[in-house]
Amino acid sequence: MTRLARQPGPDPAGSAAAVEAAPDSVLAPDRGALGDGDAAVRVRDLTVSFPTADGPLPAVAGVSLDLARSHITGLVGESGSGKSTLALTLLNAVPPPGHVDGGSVTIEGVGDVLALHGADLRKMRGAEIGYVFQASQNSLNPLKPVGKQLLDLGRSHGERDQRVLLRRARALFDEMGMDAARVLASYQHELSGGMRQRVGIAFALLLNAHVVILDEPTTALDMLTQALVLEIIRKVHATRHLTTLVISHDVGVIGDLADRMAVMYAGRIVEEGPTVQVLAGPRHPYTRGLLTAMPRIAGDVSEARPLPGRPPDLASIPRQGCVFRPRCPLATRACAEAEPPVTVTGEHRFACFVAAQEVS
Ligand SMILES: Nc1ncnc2c1ncn2[C@@H]1O[C@H](COP(=O)(O)OP(=O)(O)OP(=O)(O)O)[C@@H](O)[C@H]1O
Ligand code: SF4
Ligand SMILES: [Mg+2]
């Protein structure tokens, strides 16, 4: 069955042909990818904007996304597509002057994250959801050894028993193949980029969070270290039964690591589904372009073709019609009139008029 769910934004009058092409379609504006009880995190209709010279503009525009419990979800997209803004909103940590205009984020065991404030919010961060920030290799305090910073983190969450914290930290470093005593005594400059990234992961897991977000965990690492860090992410994910979100601009990283993947463009999730399905049968022209641009996936460097054009900044995202239209080789007149609705085939979802017709 092909079902259609409406993407927020202007009513897709231009999508009428695609909607009519699927006689058993249903409109479900609030629907995520997973059934009740399967998601540890549910994002619904989330919009986050930043002030610009043209007024507030959305970096995240009407996103609905589920993170499947105990699975690794990958979020991929070019620079500026809104990946970090979306991920930070899961922590209710949109950086000022950003603003959540609407929508909800619900985390299992926490409830509505966007309703939390003050001490409740601080407690939730770390204890329920761990975050490895983009460029976290450089985010340690250069003036304190790692062990002291870990104890500070524990204390700030009310964990005063140093022995418990150190035991957890040692177990984490052992699990990651590092000499725990050495790492705990080291300053940032005494650790390699790969070690710093692993320390960042240990920080995210120290308080036993069940949801972990890693923003570009392998960027700036050489290939061998990248492979090692990916292996460690796989391992801690599996041994700790985590729900994990990995963000990368590199489809290869997401393909290696994630069970499910979501493709983000100009603040929208344009395609989502089980990784094998999305990689074997990408539907959205943007996903196809990302894959064709990847030598590793195209199979041969000479066959890799870069995506035409550049990713838009907030001011240049089209205000009407499909946001990918200026770069899309398949764009039709209808694409200029309204945002494409989300088409759902099994667990695979995508938002494109032309792709919807292909499956109908
Ligand atoms: N603090 C801010 N002030 C103004 N605009 C911002 C701010 N943070 C992000 N933006 C804008 O929001 C959009 C999305 O940015 P975001 O950092 O979420 O993208 P991203 O996909 O994580 O990119 P990258 O791959 O480069 O990390 C961009 O156009 C960016 O310029
Ligand atoms: S075909 Fe139209 S709806 Fe699909 S991605 Fe291209 S511009 Fe967007
Ligand atoms: Mg980012």
Side-chain angles (χ1 to χ4, degrees):
M1 180 174 91
T2 300
R3 283 169 294 178
L4 296 166
R6 189 162 57 81
Q7 182 107 306
D11 194 42
S15 68
V19 174
E20 280 164 13
D24 56 352
S25 67
V26 293
L27 287 173
D30 232 5
R31 191 178 178 282
L34 303 172
D36 285 346
D38 295 334
V41 179
R42 287 187 189 279
V43 178
R44 288 293 175 275
D45 212 0
L46 187 68
T47 297
V48 181
S49 63
F50 286 102
T52 72
D54 299 332
L57 290 172
V60 172
V63 162
S64 292
L65 179 68
D66 290 338
L67 301 191
R69 186 184 311 105
S70 307
H71 287 261
I72 301 181
T73 302
L75 181 62
V76 69
E78 289 165 295
S79 186
S81 54
K83 305 180 299 294
S84 296
T85 305
L86 170 58
L88 287 166
T89 313
L90 304 189
L91 281 186
N92 195 355
V94 174
H99 183 260
V100 178
D101 297 329
S104 64
V105 175
T106 312
I107 297 185
E108 205 171 39
V110 175
D112 181 1
V113 172
L114 301 181
L116 294 180
H117 301 285
D120 290 342
L121 185 56
R122 279 195 299 280
K123 192 165 157 231
M124 182 278 290
R125 294 177 185 157
E128 303 286 346
I129 181 163
Y131 203 104
V132 183
F133 290 92
Q134 191 162 357
S136 68
Q137 297 100 307
N138 304 316
S139 67
L140 287 169
N141 182 338
L143 303 176
K144 284 187 185 179
V146 169
K148 182 134 188 16
Q149 293 182 58
L150 281 164
L151 292 177
D152 288 349
L153 173 69
R155 269 196 297 271
S156 71
H157 279 75
E159 179 57 80
R160 304 211 170 271
D161 190 336
Q162 295 201 359
R163 281 167 309 176
V164 170
L165 286 168
L166 286 173
R167 206 167 41 237
R168 275 193 218 150
R170 283 199 192 96
L172 278 161
F173 291 136
D174 283 349
E175 207 174 324
M176 295 184 195
M178 290 197 286
D179 177 341
R182 189 197 144 198
V183 174
L184 287 167
S186 294
Y187 289 82
Q188 172 179 295
H189 68 272
E190 295 172 316
L191 301 171
S192 68
M195 290 171 94
R196 290 204 291 261
Q197 190 58 278
R198 281 181 274 174
V199 169
I201 297 170
F203 269 82
L205 296 175
L206 184 72
L207 301 167
N208 292 330
H210 64 104
V211 177
V212 173
I213 299 173
L214 302 114
D215 194 349
E216 301 281 0
T218 57
T219 306
L221 300 179
D222 63 72
M223 288 301 280
L224 276 179
T225 313
Q226 185 177 102
L228 174 70
V229 168
L230 292 181
E231 193 47 48
I232 284 163
I233 294 170
R234 255 184 229 110
K235 188 170 161 190
V236 292
H237 167 85
T239 53
R240 288 159 189 268
H241 308 289
L242 300 171
T243 298
T244 303
L245 177 67
V246 177
I247 298 171
S248 180
H249 60 275
D250 183 340
V251 194
V253 166
I254 297 303
D256 275 354
L257 206 55
D259 318 304
R260 302 185 58 86
M261 65 183 279
V263 182
M264 196 161 186
Y265 186 81
R268 280 82 173 159
I269 302 293
V270 297
E271 182 155 11
E272 189 209 341
T275 303
V276 281
Q277 283 184 29
V278 175
L279 295 184
R283 293 288 177 194
H284 197 280
Y286 178 60
T287 315
R288 290 179 183 173
L290 280 182
L291 294 179
T292 314
M294 277 279 312
R296 195 137 60 107
I297 288 178
D300 182 340
V301 177
S302 63
E303 284 175 23
R305 284 192 306 281
L307 264 164
R310 287 214 221 132
D313 56 30
L314 294 186
S316 60
I317 296 173
R319 311 276 171 94
Q320 195 184 344
C322 175
V323 289
F324 188 55
R325 178 169 43 91
R327 300 173 75 188
C328 182
L330 306 179
T332 66
R333 215 147 42 98
C335 306
E337 285 162 17
E339 280 208 49
V342 176
T343 300
V344 184
T345 58
E347 288 189 64
H348 193 167
R349 312 179 336 140
F350 46 90
C352 168
F353 291 124
V354 172
Q357 279 165 340
E358 284 173 6
V359 298
S360 64

